[in-house]
Amino acid sequence: MSERAAIASPLSTGVKFATAGLGGIGGWILIHPFNTVAIRMNLASASGAGTPAAGSFFSFTRNVVANEGFLTLYNGLSAGILRQVFYATSRFGLYEVFRDISAKYREPDLASRLGVGILSGACAAYISCPAEVTLVRMSNDKALPAAERRNYSSVLNAAYRIATEEGITTFWRGSTPFVMRAMLVGATQVGTYDQFKVMYRGYGVPDGISNVFCASMSAGLLYSLITMPFETAKNRMSFQKKDPKTGELMYRATGQTIRTIASKEGVLALWSGFLPYYGRCGGHTVSMFIFVEELRRIYKSLWS
C-alpha cells in the first residue's frame, strides 16, 4: 500500500488535534524538570554566573535541588501545560492536516514532510508565544537575586502582570527566534519523525511502540542539535530587562542575539545546557508521540 493510500482514511480533524494536545501535555509533565534546568543553565551565563559545561548538568541539578528544593524543578509547570495546549495541539495537528492535503496531490516524501513541518511550526509558534514567554519567566525567576525577582504567583498572574506592566507586545518579544526555531522543530521533529517511521519500518522495525521510540529518539537528537542556538536566543530575548541607564535592550533581533552571544561568550555558549535540552527535546518527543499513538489506538479500539 502506498503512503498516500495509507493516509486516505485519516482520523477526524478533531481527534487529531485532541490527541496531539493531550499527548503533548502528557509528555511535558514527564520532562518539565529538564526544561527548567535547561533554561536555568542556558541563562546562567547571562546573569554573570558563567557558562556551565554540558557535563555539569547533574551537579547543576543537585545544587538547584539542594538550595531550592525538588519542587523548584516544576516551577512554571502550569505555563508549560498551557503552552502545550496551544503549541503541541496546533503544531502536530496542523502538520497532519497540511500533510493530508498535500497527499491528495503528491506521494508523501521527505521534501513534502519538511515543507509541511515548517509551515505548521510557524503557525503554532505565533499562536503560543504568550505561553512561551510566561513559561521562560516562571521557570527562571528563582534564579534571580531576591531584589530582582518578579515573584509570579501563578501562570495567570504572570500573564496578567506581563501584559499590564510591560505591554501586550512583550508576549511576542523574541517571537522571531521562537518562530524560526519552531519552523526548524516542525521540520526536524515532526517531519523527520514521520520520515524516520517509514525508514525504520523498511529496516524491519514493526509499527508500534518500538517503531515510535526509534523514530522519535532519532528525530529528537536531530532537532536538538539544530534548534539549540535559536532556543538560546529566544530565552535571552524573552527574559532580558532594559538597561537601567540607557533604557535599551541588549538583544534586539535573532541574528544579532546569536552573534552577540557567540562573540562575547564563545560559540559553544549557544549550546549551553545542551544535555538537559536534549533530555527535554528527546524525552518530550518520545513520550509525546507514544502518548499520541496510544491515545489513538484506544480511540480506534473504542469507536472503530
Side-chain angles (χ1 to χ4, degrees), residues 160-185:
Y160 175 77
R161 286 180 53 192
I162 291 170
T164 56
E165 295 172 8
E166 304 173 53
I168 197 74
T169 57
T170 303
F171 285 123
W172 282 269
R173 181 191 298 166
S175 63
T176 300
F178 181 41
V179 170
M180 293 177 68
R181 175 189 173 277
M183 292 168 69
L184 290 172
V185 171

PDB file of all heavy atoms in Angstrom, residues 160-185:
ATOM      1  N   TYR A 160      -0.986  38.151  33.333  1.00  0.00           N
ATOM      2  CA  TYR A 160      -1.634  39.440  33.587  1.00  0.00           C
ATOM      3  C   TYR A 160      -0.602  40.532  33.848  1.00  0.00           C
ATOM      4  O   TYR A 160      -0.698  41.643  33.302  1.00  0.00           O
ATOM      5  CB  TYR A 160      -2.578  39.314  34.783  1.00  0.00           C
ATOM      6  CG  TYR A 160      -3.200  40.628  35.205  1.00  0.00           C
ATOM      7  CD1 TYR A 160      -4.255  41.179  34.474  1.00  0.00           C
ATOM      8  CD2 TYR A 160      -2.720  41.323  36.317  1.00  0.00           C
ATOM      9  CE1 TYR A 160      -4.819  42.392  34.851  1.00  0.00           C
ATOM     10  CE2 TYR A 160      -3.269  42.528  36.707  1.00  0.00           C
ATOM     11  CZ  TYR A 160      -4.315  43.056  35.962  1.00  0.00           C
ATOM     12  OH  TYR A 160      -4.863  44.256  36.339  1.00  0.00           O
ATOM     13  N   ARG A 161       0.409  40.229  34.668  1.00  0.00           N
ATOM     14  CA  ARG A 161       1.419  41.230  35.006  1.00  0.00           C
ATOM     15  C   ARG A 161       2.293  41.585  33.815  1.00  0.00           C
ATOM     16  O   ARG A 161       2.657  42.754  33.626  1.00  0.00           O
ATOM     17  CB  ARG A 161       2.262  40.736  36.179  1.00  0.00           C
ATOM     18  CG  ARG A 161       1.531  40.792  37.518  1.00  0.00           C
ATOM     19  CD  ARG A 161       2.407  40.286  38.644  1.00  0.00           C
ATOM     20  NE  ARG A 161       3.692  40.977  38.685  1.00  0.00           N
ATOM     21  CZ  ARG A 161       4.712  40.576  39.422  1.00  0.00           C
ATOM     22  NH1 ARG A 161       4.603  39.489  40.184  1.00  0.00           N
ATOM     23  NH2 ARG A 161       5.848  41.253  39.413  1.00  0.00           N
ATOM     24  N   ILE A 162       2.640  40.586  33.015  1.00  0.00           N
ATOM     25  CA  ILE A 162       3.433  40.878  31.815  1.00  0.00           C
ATOM     26  C   ILE A 162       2.666  41.828  30.904  1.00  0.00           C
ATOM     27  O   ILE A 162       3.209  42.804  30.388  1.00  0.00           O
ATOM     28  CB  ILE A 162       3.787  39.579  31.073  1.00  0.00           C
ATOM     29  CG1 ILE A 162       4.780  38.741  31.899  1.00  0.00           C
ATOM     30  CG2 ILE A 162       4.397  39.885  29.696  1.00  0.00           C
ATOM     31  CD1 ILE A 162       4.997  37.340  31.362  1.00  0.00           C
ATOM     32  N   ALA A 163       1.376  41.538  30.719  1.00  0.00           N
ATOM     33  CA  ALA A 163       0.556  42.352  29.821  1.00  0.00           C
ATOM     34  C   ALA A 163       0.354  43.771  30.361  1.00  0.00           C
ATOM     35  O   ALA A 163       0.430  44.749  29.614  1.00  0.00           O
ATOM     36  CB  ALA A 163      -0.798  41.686  29.603  1.00  0.00           C
ATOM     37  N   THR A 164       0.116  43.903  31.672  1.00  0.00           N
ATOM     38  CA  THR A 164      -0.199  45.222  32.235  1.00  0.00           C
ATOM     39  C   THR A 164       1.045  46.038  32.566  1.00  0.00           C
ATOM     40  O   THR A 164       1.034  47.269  32.446  1.00  0.00           O
ATOM     41  CB  THR A 164      -1.055  45.070  33.512  1.00  0.00           C
ATOM     42  OG1 THR A 164      -0.364  44.229  34.464  1.00  0.00           O
ATOM     43  CG2 THR A 164      -2.409  44.469  33.183  1.00  0.00           C
ATOM     44  N   GLU A 165       2.124  45.374  32.989  1.00  0.00           N
ATOM     45  CA  GLU A 165       3.327  46.092  33.395  1.00  0.00           C
ATOM     46  C   GLU A 165       4.264  46.396  32.231  1.00  0.00           C
ATOM     47  O   GLU A 165       4.988  47.390  32.253  1.00  0.00           O
ATOM     48  CB  GLU A 165       4.084  45.290  34.463  1.00  0.00           C
ATOM     49  CG  GLU A 165       3.323  45.139  35.779  1.00  0.00           C
ATOM     50  CD  GLU A 165       4.018  44.191  36.744  1.00  0.00           C
ATOM     51  OE1 GLU A 165       5.173  43.777  36.453  1.00  0.00           O
ATOM     52  OE2 GLU A 165       3.416  43.865  37.786  1.00  0.00           O
ATOM     53  N   GLU A 166       4.271  45.512  31.228  1.00  0.00           N
ATOM     54  CA  GLU A 166       5.238  45.666  30.143  1.00  0.00           C
ATOM     55  C   GLU A 166       4.590  45.838  28.771  1.00  0.00           C
ATOM     56  O   GLU A 166       5.287  46.109  27.788  1.00  0.00           O
ATOM     57  CB  GLU A 166       6.188  44.459  30.121  1.00  0.00           C
ATOM     58  CG  GLU A 166       6.906  44.242  31.447  1.00  0.00           C
ATOM     59  CD  GLU A 166       7.709  42.959  31.449  1.00  0.00           C
ATOM     60  OE1 GLU A 166       8.524  42.780  30.524  1.00  0.00           O
ATOM     61  OE2 GLU A 166       7.517  42.124  32.359  1.00  0.00           O
ATOM     62  N   GLY A 167       3.291  45.634  28.705  1.00  0.00           N
ATOM     63  CA  GLY A 167       2.610  45.784  27.428  1.00  0.00           C
ATOM     64  C   GLY A 167       2.359  44.446  26.755  1.00  0.00           C
ATOM     65  O   GLY A 167       3.156  43.505  26.888  1.00  0.00           O
ATOM     66  N   ILE A 168       1.258  44.356  26.025  1.00  0.00           N
ATOM     67  CA  ILE A 168       0.858  43.097  25.405  1.00  0.00           C
ATOM     68  C   ILE A 168       1.874  42.623  24.379  1.00  0.00           C
ATOM     69  O   ILE A 168       2.038  41.415  24.150  1.00  0.00           O
ATOM     70  CB  ILE A 168      -0.544  43.255  24.751  1.00  0.00           C
ATOM     71  CG1 ILE A 168      -1.166  41.884  24.473  1.00  0.00           C
ATOM     72  CG2 ILE A 168      -0.481  44.104  23.508  1.00  0.00           C
ATOM     73  CD1 ILE A 168      -1.666  41.171  25.697  1.00  0.00           C
ATOM     74  N   THR A 169       2.604  43.564  23.759  1.00  0.00           N
ATOM     75  CA  THR A 169       3.576  43.158  22.737  1.00  0.00           C
ATOM     76  C   THR A 169       4.766  42.406  23.329  1.00  0.00           C
ATOM     77  O   THR A 169       5.506  41.755  22.596  1.00  0.00           O
ATOM     78  CB  THR A 169       4.086  44.385  21.964  1.00  0.00           C
ATOM     79  OG1 THR A 169       4.662  45.328  22.885  1.00  0.00           O
ATOM     80  CG2 THR A 169       2.956  45.056  21.189  1.00  0.00           C
ATOM     81  N   THR A 170       4.939  42.503  24.653  1.00  0.00           N
ATOM     82  CA  THR A 170       6.024  41.769  25.309  1.00  0.00           C
ATOM     83  C   THR A 170       5.890  40.269  25.079  1.00  0.00           C
ATOM     84  O   THR A 170       6.891  39.544  25.039  1.00  0.00           O
ATOM     85  CB  THR A 170       6.032  42.066  26.828  1.00  0.00           C
ATOM     86  OG1 THR A 170       6.158  43.469  27.020  1.00  0.00           O
ATOM     87  CG2 THR A 170       7.182  41.351  27.525  1.00  0.00           C
ATOM     88  N   PHE A 171       4.659  39.790  24.919  1.00  0.00           N
ATOM     89  CA  PHE A 171       4.452  38.362  24.692  1.00  0.00           C
ATOM     90  C   PHE A 171       5.089  37.899  23.380  1.00  0.00           C
ATOM     91  O   PHE A 171       5.349  36.710  23.208  1.00  0.00           O
ATOM     92  CB  PHE A 171       2.963  38.032  24.664  1.00  0.00           C
ATOM     93  CG  PHE A 171       2.312  38.039  26.021  1.00  0.00           C
ATOM     94  CD1 PHE A 171       1.218  38.848  26.283  1.00  0.00           C
ATOM     95  CD2 PHE A 171       2.800  37.232  27.033  1.00  0.00           C
ATOM     96  CE1 PHE A 171       0.615  38.838  27.529  1.00  0.00           C
ATOM     97  CE2 PHE A 171       2.210  37.218  28.294  1.00  0.00           C
ATOM     98  CZ  PHE A 171       1.110  38.028  28.538  1.00  0.00           C
ATOM     99  N   TRP A 172       5.290  38.829  22.474  1.00  0.00           N
ATOM    100  CA  TRP A 172       5.905  38.465  21.196  1.00  0.00           C
ATOM    101  C   TRP A 172       7.334  38.979  21.085  1.00  0.00           C
ATOM    102  O   TRP A 172       7.908  38.944  20.020  1.00  0.00           O
ATOM    103  CB  TRP A 172       5.037  38.968  20.034  1.00  0.00           C
ATOM    104  CG  TRP A 172       3.856  38.080  19.828  1.00  0.00           C
ATOM    105  CD1 TRP A 172       3.786  36.982  18.997  1.00  0.00           C
ATOM    106  CD2 TRP A 172       2.585  38.166  20.474  1.00  0.00           C
ATOM    107  NE1 TRP A 172       2.545  36.384  19.113  1.00  0.00           N
ATOM    108  CE2 TRP A 172       1.777  37.092  20.003  1.00  0.00           C
ATOM    109  CE3 TRP A 172       2.025  39.038  21.407  1.00  0.00           C
ATOM    110  CZ2 TRP A 172       0.475  36.880  20.432  1.00  0.00           C
ATOM    111  CZ3 TRP A 172       0.728  38.830  21.843  1.00  0.00           C
ATOM    112  CH2 TRP A 172      -0.024  37.767  21.356  1.00  0.00           C
ATOM    113  N   ARG A 173       7.907  39.438  22.232  1.00  0.00           N
ATOM    114  CA  ARG A 173       9.324  39.793  22.248  1.00  0.00           C
ATOM    115  C   ARG A 173      10.110  38.486  22.133  1.00  0.00           C
ATOM    116  O   ARG A 173       9.926  37.571  22.916  1.00  0.00           O
ATOM    117  CB  ARG A 173       9.694  40.525  23.534  1.00  0.00           C
ATOM    118  CG  ARG A 173      11.164  40.953  23.594  1.00  0.00           C
ATOM    119  CD  ARG A 173      11.520  41.428  24.983  1.00  0.00           C
ATOM    120  NE  ARG A 173      10.749  42.605  25.381  1.00  0.00           N
ATOM    121  CZ  ARG A 173      10.682  43.043  26.634  1.00  0.00           C
ATOM    122  NH1 ARG A 173      11.269  42.378  27.621  1.00  0.00           N
ATOM    123  NH2 ARG A 173       9.966  44.117  26.903  1.00  0.00           N
ATOM    124  N   GLY A 174      10.982  38.416  21.204  1.00  0.00           N
ATOM    125  CA  GLY A 174      11.700  37.171  20.970  1.00  0.00           C
ATOM    126  C   GLY A 174      10.903  36.206  20.131  1.00  0.00           C
ATOM    127  O   GLY A 174      11.255  35.022  20.031  1.00  0.00           O
ATOM    128  N   SER A 175       9.824  36.682  19.513  1.00  0.00           N
ATOM    129  CA  SER A 175       9.000  35.780  18.700  1.00  0.00           C
ATOM    130  C   SER A 175       9.727  35.314  17.448  1.00  0.00           C
ATOM    131  O   SER A 175       9.512  34.188  16.987  1.00  0.00           O
ATOM    132  CB  SER A 175       7.685  36.454  18.309  1.00  0.00           C
ATOM    133  OG  SER A 175       7.915  37.589  17.500  1.00  0.00           O
ATOM    134  N   THR A 176      10.609  36.159  16.901  1.00  0.00           N
ATOM    135  CA  THR A 176      11.314  35.762  15.676  1.00  0.00           C
ATOM    136  C   THR A 176      12.169  34.524  15.889  1.00  0.00           C
ATOM    137  O   THR A 176      12.050  33.565  15.118  1.00  0.00           O
ATOM    138  CB  THR A 176      12.157  36.928  15.134  1.00  0.00           C
ATOM    139  OG1 THR A 176      11.303  38.033  14.831  1.00  0.00           O
ATOM    140  CG2 THR A 176      12.888  36.504  13.864  1.00  0.00           C
ATOM    141  N   PRO A 177      13.045  34.482  16.924  1.00  0.00           N
ATOM    142  CA  PRO A 177      13.791  33.234  17.119  1.00  0.00           C
ATOM    143  C   PRO A 177      12.894  32.067  17.492  1.00  0.00           C
ATOM    144  O   PRO A 177      13.170  30.921  17.134  1.00  0.00           O
ATOM    145  CB  PRO A 177      14.768  33.566  18.253  1.00  0.00           C
ATOM    146  CG  PRO A 177      14.181  34.745  18.947  1.00  0.00           C
ATOM    147  CD  PRO A 177      13.490  35.527  17.861  1.00  0.00           C
ATOM    148  N   PHE A 178      11.796  32.352  18.213  1.00  0.00           N
ATOM    149  CA  PHE A 178      10.873  31.279  18.577  1.00  0.00           C
ATOM    150  C   PHE A 178      10.207  30.708  17.331  1.00  0.00           C
ATOM    151  O   PHE A 178      10.101  29.495  17.165  1.00  0.00           O
ATOM    152  CB  PHE A 178       9.824  31.813  19.556  1.00  0.00           C
ATOM    153  CG  PHE A 178       8.835  30.779  20.022  1.00  0.00           C
ATOM    154  CD1 PHE A 178       9.234  29.490  20.332  1.00  0.00           C
ATOM    155  CD2 PHE A 178       7.491  31.109  20.164  1.00  0.00           C
ATOM    156  CE1 PHE A 178       8.316  28.542  20.767  1.00  0.00           C
ATOM    157  CE2 PHE A 178       6.568  30.169  20.599  1.00  0.00           C
ATOM    158  CZ  PHE A 178       6.981  28.882  20.902  1.00  0.00           C
ATOM    159  N   VAL A 179       9.766  31.597  16.429  1.00  0.00           N
ATOM    160  CA  VAL A 179       9.125  31.135  15.202  1.00  0.00           C
ATOM    161  C   VAL A 179      10.130  30.405  14.321  1.00  0.00           C
ATOM    162  O   VAL A 179       9.826  29.350  13.748  1.00  0.00           O
ATOM    163  CB  VAL A 179       8.486  32.320  14.440  1.00  0.00           C
ATOM    164  CG1 VAL A 179       8.030  31.884  13.052  1.00  0.00           C
ATOM    165  CG2 VAL A 179       7.310  32.879  15.233  1.00  0.00           C
ATOM    166  N   MET A 180      11.349  30.957  14.207  1.00  0.00           N
ATOM    167  CA  MET A 180      12.378  30.290  13.396  1.00  0.00           C
ATOM    168  C   MET A 180      12.712  28.923  13.979  1.00  0.00           C
ATOM    169  O   MET A 180      12.860  27.942  13.246  1.00  0.00           O
ATOM    170  CB  MET A 180      13.622  31.168  13.315  1.00  0.00           C
ATOM    171  CG  MET A 180      13.414  32.451  12.534  1.00  0.00           C
ATOM    172  SD  MET A 180      14.864  33.528  12.517  1.00  0.00           S
ATOM    173  CE  MET A 180      15.994  32.547  11.521  1.00  0.00           C
ATOM    174  N   ARG A 181      12.824  28.878  15.315  1.00  0.00           N
ATOM    175  CA  ARG A 181      13.076  27.599  15.967  1.00  0.00           C
ATOM    176  C   ARG A 181      11.918  26.645  15.732  1.00  0.00           C
ATOM    177  O   ARG A 181      12.110  25.457  15.451  1.00  0.00           O
ATOM    178  CB  ARG A 181      13.285  27.809  17.467  1.00  0.00           C
ATOM    179  CG  ARG A 181      13.441  26.512  18.259  1.00  0.00           C
ATOM    180  CD  ARG A 181      13.428  26.787  19.758  1.00  0.00           C
ATOM    181  NE  ARG A 181      13.406  25.538  20.501  1.00  0.00           N
ATOM    182  CZ  ARG A 181      12.307  24.842  20.764  1.00  0.00           C
ATOM    183  NH1 ARG A 181      11.131  25.266  20.331  1.00  0.00           N
ATOM    184  NH2 ARG A 181      12.375  23.716  21.450  1.00  0.00           N
ATOM    185  N   ALA A 182      10.689  27.158  15.828  1.00  0.00           N
ATOM    186  CA  ALA A 182       9.513  26.312  15.647  1.00  0.00           C
ATOM    187  C   ALA A 182       9.423  25.776  14.225  1.00  0.00           C
ATOM    188  O   ALA A 182       8.979  24.643  14.003  1.00  0.00           O
ATOM    189  CB  ALA A 182       8.248  27.093  15.991  1.00  0.00           C
ATOM    190  N   MET A 183       9.849  26.577  13.251  1.00  0.00           N
ATOM    191  CA  MET A 183       9.882  26.098  11.874  1.00  0.00           C
ATOM    192  C   MET A 183      10.878  24.947  11.728  1.00  0.00           C
ATOM    193  O   MET A 183      10.596  23.946  11.061  1.00  0.00           O
ATOM    194  CB  MET A 183      10.233  27.252  10.929  1.00  0.00           C
ATOM    195  CG  MET A 183       9.155  28.325  10.839  1.00  0.00           C
ATOM    196  SD  MET A 183       9.694  29.845  10.017  1.00  0.00           S
ATOM    197  CE  MET A 183       9.865  29.258   8.326  1.00  0.00           C
ATOM    198  N   LEU A 184      12.024  25.104  12.391  1.00  0.00           N
ATOM    199  CA  LEU A 184      13.014  24.029  12.370  1.00  0.00           C
ATOM    200  C   LEU A 184      12.505  22.800  13.117  1.00  0.00           C
ATOM    201  O   LEU A 184      12.712  21.665  12.688  1.00  0.00           O
ATOM    202  CB  LEU A 184      14.326  24.517  12.993  1.00  0.00           C
ATOM    203  CG  LEU A 184      15.120  25.536  12.188  1.00  0.00           C
ATOM    204  CD1 LEU A 184      16.282  26.076  13.008  1.00  0.00           C
ATOM    205  CD2 LEU A 184      15.644  24.902  10.898  1.00  0.00           C
ATOM    206  N   VAL A 185      11.826  23.046  14.263  1.00  0.00           N
ATOM    207  CA  VAL A 185      11.271  21.932  15.030  1.00  0.00           C
ATOM    208  C   VAL A 185      10.210  21.207  14.211  1.00  0.00           C
ATOM    209  O   VAL A 185      10.168  19.973  14.169  1.00  0.00           O
ATOM    210  CB  VAL A 185      10.669  22.422  16.363  1.00  0.00           C
ATOM    211  CG1 VAL A 185       9.892  21.304  17.045  1.00  0.00           C
ATOM    212  CG2 VAL A 185      11.773  22.907  17.283  1.00  0.00           C
TER     213      VAL A 185
END
